[in-house]
């Protein structure tokens, strides 16, 4: 029989409500409150041997002390699993569940599982290091959320093979594992099959989901005929000779170049230093990357308020996301100071 | 870069060849370009035809800037 230890806050640990939120951490033998349900769901393979209870405020305001005391209480207790919550939409409780799970997992090398609503702040803080199941927003979801924890915990305790997060139901931790398909199928076959589905407009499942980045809020439409508009490019167009020595790959520098007296960028005076594509075409006509000729035409037609006197440029090959973000912030700052309200970014 | 500029509150349109990438990494307004080495040109066309093509695509980009959108949008050219 495998052993599990359960973590609860003062409320679910039946100490009391908000007035008992300063309750100091304690450990008891056996189950308390929702632990009865957990124990029933885990039986017969796993037994909940102990329950840790700590007030949410105590944990929140003495986090390091709380963790240290709890780890100390667990030191002499053999266990194979640590389960916290579920915490639903309770913010302090969710953060405590995440923090104690992470600490226990790190200290004792046992897997830790919890559950909370996806908008619980504890989720964002801890989903990468522990198993968090998406839960309901109140204790009404107790039965369902506990069942999700328990069936997965049972698998963990008994060493059953685990599928990816999407199949097991916990919040993806952003970890990629090598996996073998049974029965085996060549990657090429799977890729072509996926492509055919995509072409037919049928649903398909990528084998390599990309992390979702933070998407900026959509900026409102601008009146272009009144706007000051700037050109930005990652296509490496610079004055011939590359005076700012912007790197041809993995750039960490950007340049700004005066175009206030120009109607177009002439070959021979401007060139691309981008190492990620054949520069022949852009060197013959740099306007294919910095479309100054077309923008001047729109400016003359009064379809653009005013073209900003400078364009901004870096090289976007091998450039890290962090560097790109920094350069973007620096350029944005310049644009704000120049009261630019709209921008066109040409990428290559 | 597009994201940071938009975060600063400046309305921005990205003209990109790899539209699905631009779209999936967080560009909210995207206009497709011709190819990576010549986003707004085409060596198979005459200079004048290339200029018309460029003017057309930049015109779509200007329209994109002038359009209120509810969700990230790829503007067809």
């Amino acid at each position: 029989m495998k052993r599990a230890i359960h973590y609860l806050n003062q409320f679910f640990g039946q100490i009391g409500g908000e007035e008992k939120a300063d309750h100091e951490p304690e450990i008891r033998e056996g189950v308390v409150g929702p632990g009865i349900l957990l124990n029933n769901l885990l039986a017969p393979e796993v037994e909940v041997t102990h329950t840790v209870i700590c007030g949410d405020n105590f944990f929140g305001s003495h986090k390091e002390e709380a963790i240290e005391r709890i780890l100390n209480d667990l030191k002499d207790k053999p266990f194979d699993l640590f389960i916290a919550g579920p915490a639903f939409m309770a913010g302090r409780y969710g953060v405590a569940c995440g923090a104690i799970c992470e600490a226990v997992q790190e200290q004792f090398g046992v897997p830790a599982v919890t559950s909370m609503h996806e908008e619980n702040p504890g989720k964002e803080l801890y989903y990468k290091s522990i198993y968090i199941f998406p839960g309901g927003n109140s204790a009404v979801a107790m039965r369902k959320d506990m069942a999700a924890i328990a069936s997965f915990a049972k698998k963990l305790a008994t060493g059953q093979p685990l599928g990816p997060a999407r199949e097991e139901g916990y919040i993806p931790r952003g970890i990629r594992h090598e996996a073998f398909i049974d029965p085996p199928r060549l990657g090429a076959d799977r890729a072509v099959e996926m492509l055919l589905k995509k072409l037919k407009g049928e649903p398909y499942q990528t084998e390599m989901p990309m992390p979702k980045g933070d998407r900026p809020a959509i900026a409102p439409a601008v009146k272009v005929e009144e706007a000051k508009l700037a050109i930005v490019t990652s296509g490496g167009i610079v004055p011939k000779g590359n005076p700012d020595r912007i790197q041809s790959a993995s750039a960490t520098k950007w340049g700004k170049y005066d175009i206030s007296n120009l109607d177009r960028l002439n070959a021979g005076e401007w060139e691309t230093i981008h190492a990620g594509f054949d520069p022949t075409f852009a060197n013959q006509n740099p306007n294919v990357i910095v479309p100054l000729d077309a923008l001047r035409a729109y400016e003359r037609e009064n379809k653009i308020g005013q073209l900003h006197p400078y364009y901004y440029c870096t090289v976007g090959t091998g450039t890290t996301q962090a560097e790109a973000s920094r350069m973007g912030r620096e350029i944005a700052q310049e644009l704000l100071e120049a009261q630019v309200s709209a921008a066109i970014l040409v990428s290559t | 870069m597009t994201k940071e500029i938009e975060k600063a509150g400046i309305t921005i349109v990205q003209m990109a060849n790899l539209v699905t990438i631009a779209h999936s990494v967080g560009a909210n307004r995207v206009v497709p370009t011709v190819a990576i080495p010549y986003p707004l040109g085409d060596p198979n066309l005459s200079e004048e035809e290339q200029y018309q093509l460029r003017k057309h695509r930049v015109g779509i980009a200007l329209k994109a800037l002038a359009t209120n959108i509810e969700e990230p949008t790829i503007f067809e050219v």
Side-chain angles (χ1 to χ4, degrees):
Chain A
M1 165 111 51
K2 301 282 185 179
R3 300 182 180 94
I5 293 182
H6 191 201
Y7 176 89
L8 294 170
N9 71 353
Q10 83 285 351
F11 179 74
F12 290 102
Q14 301 181 345
I15 306 288
E18 201 54 40
E19 76 288 355
K20 297 286 185 190
D22 287 317
H23 188 76
E24 296 190 14
E26 59 163 304
I27 187 161
R28 294 186 194 173
E29 282 191 16
V31 294
V32 178
I36 299 166
L37 174 64
L38 176 63
N39 198 40
N40 287 342
L41 291 165
L42 289 173
E45 292 92 342
V46 186
E47 184 191 1
V48 180
T49 59
H50 294 82
T51 305
V52 175
I53 303 170
C54 180
D56 284 336
N57 284 352
F58 187 89
F59 200 103
S61 43
H62 309 86
K63 187 173 153 198
E64 275 162 30
E65 185 193 339
I67 290 175
E68 200 188 315
R69 283 171 62 174
I70 294 168
L71 293 180
N72 201 43
D73 285 340
L74 294 174
K75 243 183 1 203
D76 56 347
K77 317 235 172 355
F79 63 108
D80 311 284
L81 270 177
F82 190 81
I83 292 166
F88 314 108
M89 196 55 192
R92 287 167 300 169
Y93 189 22
V95 172
C97 285
I100 195 63
C101 279
E102 187 182 67
V104 167
Q105 186 170 278
E106 197 184 305
Q107 177 87 13
F108 301 103
V110 300
V113 188
T114 184
S115 160
M116 63 190 76
H117 192 274
E118 294 220 49
E119 284 168 26
N120 191 310
K123 175 237 152 177
E124 202 52 43
L125 289 169
Y126 297 106
Y127 76 95
K128 285 184 180 162
S129 53
I130 57 168
Y131 296 112
I132 302 181
F133 280 80
N137 63 0
S138 76
V140 174
M142 176 67 82
R143 203 155 270 284
K144 191 165 156 280
D145 291 357
M146 195 66 104
I149 294 180
S151 72
F152 181 69
K154 234 181 194 181
K155 273 186 157 180
L156 282 173
T158 53
Q160 285 181 52
L162 301 177
R166 150 171 60 80
E167 283 168 25
E168 298 296 345
Y170 61 86
I171 296 166
R173 295 170 299 166
I175 297 173
R176 283 187 184 139
H177 285 293
E178 188 176 43
F180 294 95
I181 309 276
D182 189 31
R185 294 202 56 223
L186 276 181
D189 290 338
R190 306 202 303 274
V192 170
E193 188 173 281
M194 207 183 292
L195 178 63
L196 290 174
K197 280 188 178 168
K198 185 171 183 175
L199 291 172
K200 285 187 216 154
E202 292 172 3
Y204 64 95
Q205 183 79 48
T206 176
E207 293 185 13
M208 192 173 281
M210 298 305 287
K212 273 194 203 131
D214 58 330
R215 194 174 270 280
I218 295 173
V222 285
K223 285 196 173 134
V224 181
E225 61 278 14
E226 294 168 11
K228 191 172 186 186
L229 181 119
I231 315 169
V232 184
T233 183
S234 59
I237 298 283
V238 294
K240 188 144 181 81
N242 189 14
D244 293 320
R245 304 216 160 264
I246 296 173
Q247 302 93 328
S248 290
S250 308
T252 58
K253 295 184 206 168
W254 54 271
K256 63 185 253 197
Y257 301 108
D258 189 347
I259 48 172
S260 52
N261 295 318
L262 299 179
D263 255 351
R264 51 177 286 118
L265 299 185
N266 288 323
E269 296 167 24
W270 303 82
E271 62 179 344
T272 180
I273 45 118
H274 196 296
F277 58 81
D278 179 348
T280 314
F281 311 103
N283 287 344
Q284 281 166 1
N285 184 358
N287 300 276
V288 302
I289 292 180
V290 174
L292 182 59
D293 55 356
L295 284 164
R296 285 284 181 230
Y298 282 115
E299 196 179 32
R300 280 194 296 273
E301 294 165 22
N302 295 320
K303 289 187 175 148
I304 298 172
Q306 184 198 344
L307 202 55
H308 182 50
Y310 299 90
Y311 82 87
Y312 298 80
C313 173
T314 186
V315 165
T317 187
T319 308
T320 64
Q321 224 173 44
E323 288 293 340
S325 296
R326 175 190 53 81
M327 292 192 278
R329 280 194 299 276
E330 290 170 0
I331 293 169
Q333 190 54 40
E334 288 243 347
L335 297 181
L336 285 177
E337 282 164 18
Q339 293 177 315
V340 168
S341 56
I344 292 180
L345 186 145
V346 183
S347 59
T348 51
Chain B
M1 291 211 296
T2 301
K3 283 158 66 176
E4 295 297 334
I5 292 169
E6 184 143 26
K7 275 186 205 163
I10 297 166
T11 307
I12 186 165
V13 56
Q14 182 167 349
M15 305 192 75
N17 188 238
L18 306 172
V19 286
T20 50
I21 294 185
H23 188 252
S24 67
V25 300
N28 287 327
R29 288 176 173 84
V30 180
V31 171
T33 58
V34 178
I36 291 172
Y38 37 91
L40 296 167
D42 184 343
N44 299 315
L45 302 177
S46 71
E47 280 294 322
E48 177 55 26
E49 285 169 327
Q50 291 195 52
Y51 171 74
Q52 290 308 332
L53 173 153
R54 181 154 61 248
K55 198 166 173 217
H56 169 68
R57 298 224 180 193
V58 169
I60 304 287
L62 296 179
K63 266 190 206 136
L65 291 170
T67 307
N68 269 317
I69 52 172
E70 297 290 317
E71 55 181 22
T73 304
I74 297 170
F75 291 81
E76 298 294 327
V77 291

